[in-house]
Amino acid sequence: IKGHDHFVYVRVRNRGPLDAENVTARVYWSPPATLPTPSLWTPIGETVLPLVPTGNSLTVSQPIVWPDAALPANGHYCFIAVLDTEYDPAPSTICLGDWDGFMHWVRRENNVSWRNFNVEKP
């Protein structure tokens, strides 16, 4: 609904053997694309999760404020979230220039995710 800020939350599971501390979650939006390279990503914001305990339990971030004025026009888009922490750093995006590199990146990296969404403003 137009006229107020929106909030993005990141949900994280730690399937590793160690607790993760100070996990930075950076969130972007992108127009839909077969190959959503970083040149299409628009930053929304970031948050830090102080502790993501091991054990595969769900940890939810504090909200990232997304001002109404920063929302794209009505349409279909994609959220992209990239996590970064000391023992599991954010993946490099250098390989995203072609389809094979993108597919390898998607399959290999555990701390990247995306989700489709729609914007509908009156």
Side-chain angles (χ1 to χ4, degrees):
I1 298 175
K2 182 99 173 125
H4 63 85
D5 291 341
H6 303 271
F7 304 92
V8 177
Y9 296 83
V10 179
R11 300 179 303 171
V12 180
R13 291 185 191 270
N14 181 353
R15 296 181 182 133
L18 302 172
D19 290 347
E21 297 179 350
N22 299 316
V23 178
T24 300
R26 291 179 182 86
V27 179
Y28 307 85
W29 69 266
S30 173
T34 302
L35 184 60
T37 60
S39 65
L40 297 174
W41 302 359
T42 300
I44 294 173
E46 67 180 56
T47 188
V48 175
L49 294 92
L51 177 67
V52 180
T54 190
N56 202 26
S57 61
L58 190 63
T59 303
V60 180
S61 75
Q62 293 294 313
I64 298 171
V65 178
W66 195 6
D68 185 66
L71 264 70
N74 287 356
H76 182 73
Y77 300 94
C78 185
F79 284 122
I80 299 164
V82 180
L83 302 179
D84 184 44
T85 190
E86 181 180 5
Y87 297 114
D88 193 8
S92 171
T93 58
I94 293 173
C95 65
L96 295 180
D98 63 33
W99 183 252
D100 289 336
F102 177 75
M103 291 303 293
H104 183 69
W105 188 74
V106 168
R107 290 181 184 141
R108 181 187 64 212
E109 300 301 339
N110 67 310
N111 48 0
V112 175
S113 184
W114 56 88
R115 179 162 277 319
N116 294 332
F117 70 97
N118 293 313
V119 173
E120 295 180 12
K121 296 194 262 186

